[in-house]
Structures are given as structure tokens and as C-alpha cells.
Amino acid sequence: MFEGLSNKLSSIIDRLVGKGALTENDVNMAMREIRIALLEADVALPVVKEFIETVKAKAIGQDVVKSISAGQMVVKIVHDHLVEVLGQKNSELNLNAAPPQVIMLVGLQGAGKTTLTAKLALRLKNKRHKKVLMASLDVKRPAAQLQLATLGEQANIATLPIVQGQNPVEITKRALQTARLEGFDVILLDTAGRLHIDDELMDEVKDVHHAGTPIETLLVVDALTGQDAVNVAKAFNEKLPLTGVVLTRVDGDARGGAALSMRSITGCPIKFLSTGEKLDQLDDFHPERVASRILDMGDVVSLVEKASEIIDQEEAEKMAKKLEKGKFDLDDLANQLKQFSKMGGIQNLLNLLPGMGQLKKDMPKGVDEKVVPRQLAIISSMTLKERKDYKVLNASRKKRIAAGSGTTVQDVNKLLKRFEEASKMMKHLSKVGKRGLFSGGLFSK
Amino acid sequence: MSDAPKKSWFTRLKEGLAKTSRPLTQGIKDLFTKKKLDQASIEELEDLLIQADLGVKTSHKIVSLIAKSRFDKDVDEEEVRVALAQEIATILDPIAKPIVIDNTQKPHVILVVGVNGTGKTTTIAKLTKEFKEEGHSIMLGAADTFRAAAIEQLQIWGDRLKIPVVTKQAGADPAAVAFEAYEKARKDNIDILMIDTAGRLQNKTHLMAELEKIIRTLKKIDPTAPHTVLLILDATTGQNAYNQVEIFQQLTGVTGLIMTKLDGTAKGGIIVGLAEKFNLPIHAIGVGETSEDLKPFKAQDFANHLMGIEA
């Protein structure tokens, strides 16, 4: 699990460190790498410095567990501390007040507030069975109020009717009144994006806060944010009593160091991770996953979860039986390919695997993703007989298949070669399986 | 593109910055009041650049450039700042280029791409205003058919600026919108067609494929289209900007960048590293929400802004 960073660290400190406890010198050297890793993950510099100081004190003098290297040990200490600093998971929205409870979302322009408003509303409706009213206070950006109304229609959630010419405080008051009259449990206030240095707009948001007296005031932050996260967090935190942070665009490939910056500076819990453009794509916050990602150690937990969600249990059992008999045909290969593409293709899987950051960069893009659908097309263009026994494929059959799948005969040959390799391996595995994995075979070649 | 008549963007930036602390400038002031440039101060200089989002490697490289000639010598704060700004300006100078409109194309097609929330639609509004003032006829294509009310957002800008907008219903195939807009712009003898696309994260393969389809469709009308592909970058973005530029360039043939939201405290220093790595032109910067707030990118001004040097 600790591949990426610990490999780097191992090469530096493992040859120096003796057996036993980590010395100050070992730790100092390791911290230089940790510092770079955190900065490359966009953790803000002042936060990095503070983090390193604390973790250094923790690491010096720690006994190195026998089974792992000193490098891995340091990474484990860093990782554990990072998890600790990032805070608790599953901090649900606080609704402990007389209804209507008000939840207010604030942040910079383009952070993803409006989409998140609809996501939170949907979650409150489905998971906590609340009657929710959404209101857009964004009178600045063209069509912003309409955007929330459209999302409301899509998710079947009420939005406050748009009245032209009202200012955000007036809209807030109207939302409160509507909620009381029509019996809504929760009001979500979607505010306009604003720069933290725009005094006028920061005063306005303060007025809205005063008028709405929200039980939750959430700062919405783009996971792609760089060093500026510090300034944003400080300014919003000074102006408003924030109660939580939500990170958006976590489905991108940024390492998301902003999470640590936000948490350190505001002291507020990170409540959710927004992970896609669909309204149900809102995840609980898991500190371990975010920590692994910041340290480029991959998100193995998510990978396993994703795999178990998607891979059909029945299919898997059927496959196991076939393997036992040593029978593996092209239909089985097609099935495997389908399962694989359901998991989001190579690029997506690489995002989740540890230490794959570099490999991913080295891989030619665009090419790989097309291979799987093309191979599926080739298999679909075969007759059932051909799929059961590929040996019947002569030149004219191959030509037909190539034409049918929009590929070339070379592509067909390539697929068949890959299939041969795969079935050889399957046979081998099934033999090994019978004898037990470690009785030879797998490692003897 | 022309400078604003009343205030230069730099003045506007300064006004914005005056409201907040100036960690970078103040940092350097604290560092040097005429003292020897030693290892510790070099490291602190690097830290200051890192805080402006230049990244670890680029910061190290730039500081090494000035450290070589001045190490162990007496230096003052102003000198160090000017020298750093100079190095940065040298890197940025070759890529500071305006958008060139090819008058032989009727229309010159500009495709606008980027991740979500970087300010694509607002930037299109600003560019429309610029081009209009230069005397071009313009048409907009609303190919963001995905995000709720994105079409309406562009339409409102079109109405304000009195520019025709080609739209289809929400959820329509964006490539079809692009095709239709291109056909119409050709028929109406329009000078510039700008196509707004939905924001997408660069690691979403299927969404990137949708962009590729838009481009393929435009090429059916004219193989040289789109003539400009603009990638809109948000100044608050950190190191992920490298991935954004790399993948958008690879898949959509980005021809130039515009950086938005430079009126906040984000310094946008990532541009320096991007300049070195990708050598893509940077056309303009966004410094506000109104249609006037687009300014040409000038290397020395930007370098000065990064280093907090007054104009």
C-alpha cells in the first residue's frame, strides 16, 4: 500500500539507517521528501511546515517494526498523522434545531456550489426523509437561479420561485417565510460565488448569514485548488462562523492537498466529497482515502469497493468453474473485458492504484481506452461456433470478422494471440489451483 | 485587444491586492535588508515562489538561476525581486501572444474548452466584447447542453452584447450544436464563431471523447477547423494544471491558454512552469466578472505581479 512515496524514501534512508529506532538524521532526510510530496499535492506551504514539525517529533525515536523498511515506517507515521489531522469521517449534516433548519453554502466562483446544493438536497430527502427547499441567492451570474431551478426539477426538489430584483437578504427572508408556511424541514441557501477579498460581497454574505441564521455554513472548495487555499480559508473563516468544508471535483486526478489546508486553517470538519456531475455522486469523507491520495499512495480501498460493486458475483462463480475445467473460450474473454470496462477503463483504474502516478504519465493516452471496445467488437462479430473454438478461424473467416467489426485482420490476429496467451495462463493457474498455490508451479515457471 | 481606458489591469490587480496581505512581497522584505544571500535565504526565496503556485521544481530552478551569480554577496530585497521577476519574464515573454484571427476564414472558429467552473462562458462574453469592438461580426454556439441553465447563461450574454447565439434544447448532442452553428455562421458570413463547451475533468475519458467528436464534426465542414482551441485555466488551480494542459492539448489540440480569476489572491504562478513545459501561447487574463475584465497577457507585467513589484 505504501509504494510510491516509500520507494523514494527507501532509496534515501534505508541504506543509512541501522536496525532499531529512527534517528533525527533519518527523519530529517525523509521529511525533505515528505515536504516535496505534500507541496506537489497542493498542500499550502504554511500547513506543510506545521505538519512536518509535528510529524517529525512523532517519528524520531520510533522503533522500526522488523517486517518493514525504515522508509515504509516513516511513510506509515506520516500517513497516520495525516489521517488524524484530516479528522473524523461521516460527519453528517447537523439538523438539531427547530425546523426549518438553514444550511448555507459559500465559496469562490466556480467551486461547484450550485451542483452541490442539489446534491445535498437530494441526500437530505432520500437518506433523512426531509422536505427540502432550495433557494439561489446568486443574482450576479447570468442564469444562476435558473440553474438551481432546473436541478430542482431534475431531482424533484422544491426551489423558491424566482422573483426578479430581490437582493440576497430579501430572498433569504422570503425562503424562511415560505418554509414556515409550507412546512419545509430544511432550507438550502446557494450563495453567489465571491472573491474573499471583495469586501462588499463578503459583507453581503455576512448579512445573509445574519438573516438566515444557518445551523450549517459550509465552505465549498475545489479539490484542484493550489496554494491560494490558505487565503480563501482564512478570509471566509474570519468573516463567517463556518461549520464544515465540502471538497468538490474529487473525481478529477488532482491529489487534493487543499483538503489538508482547509482542515488545518478552518479547523472545521470536512463533511463530504463531491465526486461527479450526477446528483447522487456525493461521498462521505474518508480521511484514509484522502491521506493516501495526498501522499500518492493510491486509493486501494476505493478500488476494491469499486470492483466488488461492479463485478457480478454469478459471473465470477461461473468463471471459476470454467477455470477448474481448464475451459476458457472467447466468450469468457469478452465477459472479462466487459467487467474491466465497467470499472472505468485503464486510466480510471490507474488513478486508484498505488504508485501509478508516474506510470500513468508515461502511458500514451487515448490509445489504450479504445483497445477494449475494439476487442469486444471483434468477438461480437464471430459466430458462436468460432467463439467456442477459435481454431476454425481461417483467412476468409478472419476477413469477414475484420470487416464486421470495423478492424483489420491484424487486429483479429492480435486478439487471438492475446487469447492464446490468456488461455495458456488460465490452464496453468487451474493446475496450480488443484495442487495448491505454493506447491510449485506459480513460482517455478 | 486593448487596454482598459481608465485603469490598467495592473492597477486593478493592485487595488485587489491592497485589500489583502501581501505575503510574497512582505516575505522578501523580511528576508533581505541588505544581507548575504546564504543557503537559508535561498530556501526561503524558494518557499515564496512555491506559495505563488510555481511548484517545487520550477521555484528551485528559478532561484538557482539568480543564486549562482549572487551567492554569498550582499544583496537587498529590491534587487532580488527585480532579478527574479526578470528571470520569470524571460520565460514568459515568448508565449505572450494575442489571439490571431485569420481573416480568410469565414468564420474563424474558436472552440473554448476547460474543466468545470474555470469561467469559460464568462470568458467568451469578454472575448465577444473585444472582438466586437475590433469590428468583427460574431456568433456564439451553445454546445454546453449538459449543465443546467448553461445555454441560458450564454443566451443572456448574447442578448446583452447583441450577438446571435445558436442553441438547441438541453441534452442535445453538442457536436450537432457545433455543426449547426458553423453552418449558420458560414451562411451569414460571420467573422468569428465561438463555441462554448461543457466543463469536463480531463480524466473523464468519455467526456473527452465527446469533445473529440465536436472537433471531428467541425472538420467535416472544413478540415482546418477549429482554427483556435482555447483552454481556460483557473488561477486558483494548483499543480493539476499540468495534467489539464497535457491532456486537453493531446486530445483537442489546444492552441492557446487564457487564465481567469487573477483578481483574487491566487497568483497563477503555475503559468511559469506551463510555459516551460508546453510552450503554448497565453493570450489573455481574466480579472473580474464584467465583460470588460479581460486583459492581454504581458510577460513583464505578470512577472512583476508575481513578485509584487509596483508598475
Side-chain angles (χ1 to χ4, degrees), chain B residues 47-103:
Chain B
D47 283 357
L48 293 166
L49 292 183
I50 286 169
Q51 282 179 279
D53 277 321
L54 273 86
V56 181
K57 276 184 205 144
T58 313
S59 301
H60 179 71
K61 205 182 132 187
I62 290 172
V63 172
S64 314
L65 286 174
I66 74 142
K68 243 188 275 165
S69 55
R70 290 174 181 79
F71 192 72
D72 228 11
K73 288 183 186 144
D74 279 334
V75 285
D76 68 27
E77 175 256 320
E78 189 64 21
E79 182 192 343
V80 171
R81 262 203 282 168
V82 170
L84 282 174
Q86 198 45 55
E87 295 295 347
I88 293 170
T90 310
I91 295 169
L92 295 178
D93 200 49
I95 53 157
K97 295 175 192 159
I99 300 174
V100 179
I101 300 297
D102 181 354
N103 288 323

Side-chain angles (χ1 to χ4, degrees), chain A residues 38-39 41-48 50-51 82 85-86 219 221 225-234 237 245 247 256-268 270 290 294:
Chain A
L38 292 175
L39 286 171
D42 288 322
V43 180
L45 186 70
V47 177
V48 171
E50 195 193 314
F51 181 86
L82 192 49
V85 177
L86 282 170
L219 179 62
V221 183
T225 310
Q227 295 289 321
D228 197 41
V230 179
N231 303 325
V232 176
K234 264 189 198 152
N237 201 37
V245 173
L247 225 52
L260 182 60
S261 308
M262 286 295 159
R263 167 79 183 146
S264 302
I265 287 172
T266 64
C268 291
I270 299 170
V290 174
I294 290 176

Side-chain angles (χ1 to χ4, degrees), chain A residues 46-283:
Chain A
V47 177
V48 171
K49 285 189 169 163
E50 195 193 314
F51 181 86
I52 297 257
E53 281 313 309
T54 330
V55 88
K56 210 192 257 179
K58 272 193 174 176
I60 294 170
Q62 278 267 356
D63 283 328
V64 178
V65 181
K66 261 184 195 158
S67 57
I68 64 173
S69 73
Q72 284 172 320
M73 188 73 200
V74 173
V75 176
K76 187 180 167 3
I77 295 167
V78 171
H79 181 264
D80 291 352
H81 184 59
L82 192 49
V83 170
E84 200 185 309
V85 177
L86 282 170
Q88 301 297 310
K89 68 169 180 180
N90 294 342
S91 16
E92 256 303 342
L93 291 169
N94 177 14
L95 297 177
N96 294 323
Q101 298 113 357
V102 178
I103 297 170
M104 177 175 169
L105 288 86
V106 298
L108 299 182
Q109 291 95 340
K113 287 176 295 300
T114 306
T115 309
L116 182 68
T117 303
K119 284 182 178 186
L120 287 175
L122 191 66
R123 187 186 175 99
L124 286 169
K125 180 182 135 192
N126 291 344
K127 291 207 171 162
R128 298 178 73 176
H129 313 291
K130 298 289 177 187
K131 193 175 167 200
V132 186
L133 176 69
M134 302 193 291
S136 168
L137 313 184
D138 188 349
V139 294
K140 283 203 86 182
R141 185 166 57 92
Q145 292 178 296
L146 185 61
Q147 183 184 350
L148 190 68
T150 311
L151 290 173
E153 267 169 41
Q154 281 171 15
N156 205 8
I157 287 164
T159 47
L160 189 70
I162 300 170
V163 176
Q164 297 297 336
Q166 279 197 320
N167 69 35
V169 172
E170 287 164 353
I171 302 174
T172 305
K173 286 179 180 160
R174 185 157 57 88
L176 282 166
Q177 198 183 10
T178 308
R180 283 192 197 108
L181 287 174
E182 297 178 21
F184 285 98
D185 302 315
V186 183
I187 305 171
L188 285 162
L189 297 178
D190 175 26
T191 64
R194 66 199 71 228
L195 279 173
H196 50 291
I197 53 168
D198 188 328
D199 289 337
E200 205 179 304
L201 285 180
M202 288 305 279
D203 286 342
E204 179 208 272
V205 83
K206 212 177 168 182
D207 292 343
V208 168
H209 187 274
H210 186 73
T213 53
I215 186 163
E216 291 268 16
T217 306
L218 303 174
L219 179 62
V220 184
V221 183
D222 187 338
L224 312 175
T225 310
Q227 295 289 321
D228 197 41
V230 179
N231 303 325
V232 176
K234 264 189 198 152
F236 275 98
N237 201 37
E238 275 165 18
K239 207 78 181 180
L240 296 168
L242 299 176
T243 59
V245 173
V246 181
L247 225 52
T248 60
R249 303 203 182 109
V250 178
D251 49 328
D253 54 6
R255 305 241 310 264
L260 182 60
S261 308
M262 286 295 159
R263 167 79 183 146
S264 302
I265 287 172
T266 64
C268 291
I270 299 170
K271 299 233 169 185
F272 301 103
L273 306 176
S274 185
T275 55
E277 302 197 47
K278 293 194 189 108
L279 294 182
D280 59 352
Q281 289 173 320
L282 184 69
D283 289 1

